[in-house]
Amino acid sequence: TNGTYTGDASGTNVNRSTIQWLAFEISPDNTTLTLAEHGRVYDPAISNAWWYYFPSLAVNCPGDMVMGFSGSSATNYIGSFYSYRLANGAMLNQPRLFWAGTTNSIAFRWGDYSATTLDPTDDWSFWTVQEYTAPFTNSFGGVVGLWGTTVSKFRPDP
């Protein structure tokens, strides 16, 4: 629960999932790749922790990073989340929920619609598209799926 993995390959002691990001640097002579920075987005709660999964991220021209992803817990349906890290190193303490799920998921697949990118007309702002659970009804009035997508444009505040 402190962000350090203590389980094993079979999943023993695993009670949440996390998103990890890595930043690499290439040496000026293009011969060496080194890990410059890294971080994790996870829920430190003792009980009913959020599980985060299927992330996507983008970095803008000044070096701010935005991540969009799905998340759920034992008592919360799959919702859409985001987090960010500013170029100066400031980060959100906890991810922000921007669209809560409203029902169970019957999807056999998840995460196909996780995309975070820069605005094509503004290299400072981000767009993120994320999935959440919600009833989806076809034109005949039948429920054909239980998911939706959110689209949000935002710029992290320094």
Side-chain angles (χ1 to χ4, degrees):
T1 59
N2 64 358
T4 303
Y5 177 72
T6 59
D8 61 25
S10 67
T12 303
N13 297 327
V14 176
N15 60 3
R16 70 202 69 221
S17 62
T18 186
I19 296 168
Q20 181 165 285
W21 58 268
L22 309 167
F24 295 97
E25 288 183 355
I26 300 174
S27 63
D29 63 359
N30 293 325
T31 61
T32 309
L33 181 69
T34 57
L35 178 63
E37 297 180 79
H38 62 92
R40 291 183 176 152
V41 176
Y42 67 96
D43 185 354
I46 301 297
S47 62
N48 194 30
W50 284 91
W51 292 66
Y52 301 124
Y53 38 88
F54 295 110
S56 57
L57 65 86
V59 179
N60 66 8
C61 64
D64 301 325
M65 175 185 65
V66 168
M67 296 177 288
F69 46 93
S70 295
S72 60
S73 74
T75 59
N76 293 281
Y77 299 117
I78 302 172
S80 299
F81 287 83
Y82 74 92
S83 185
Y84 62 79
R85 180 188 182 280
L86 300 179
N88 66 12
M91 289 185 68
L92 285 174
N93 289 332
Q94 289 296 310
R96 293 199 178 140
L97 175 68
F98 67 89
W99 203 271
T102 59
T103 190
N104 291 324
S105 173
I106 60 168
F108 295 107
R109 296 174 56 148
W110 197 267
D112 292 338
Y113 300 101
S114 178
T116 303
T117 187
L118 293 177
D119 187 302
T121 62
D122 170 11
D123 59 2
W124 287 68
S125 298
F126 297 89
W127 285 94
T128 189
V129 177
Q130 301 303 319
E131 292 176 295
Y132 66 95
T133 56
F136 175 71
T137 306
N138 65 17
S139 59
F140 301 107
V143 175
V144 294
L146 295 173
W147 63 274
T149 55
T150 57
V151 179
S152 297
K153 179 182 179 179
F154 56 94
R155 181 183 287 184
D157 295 323

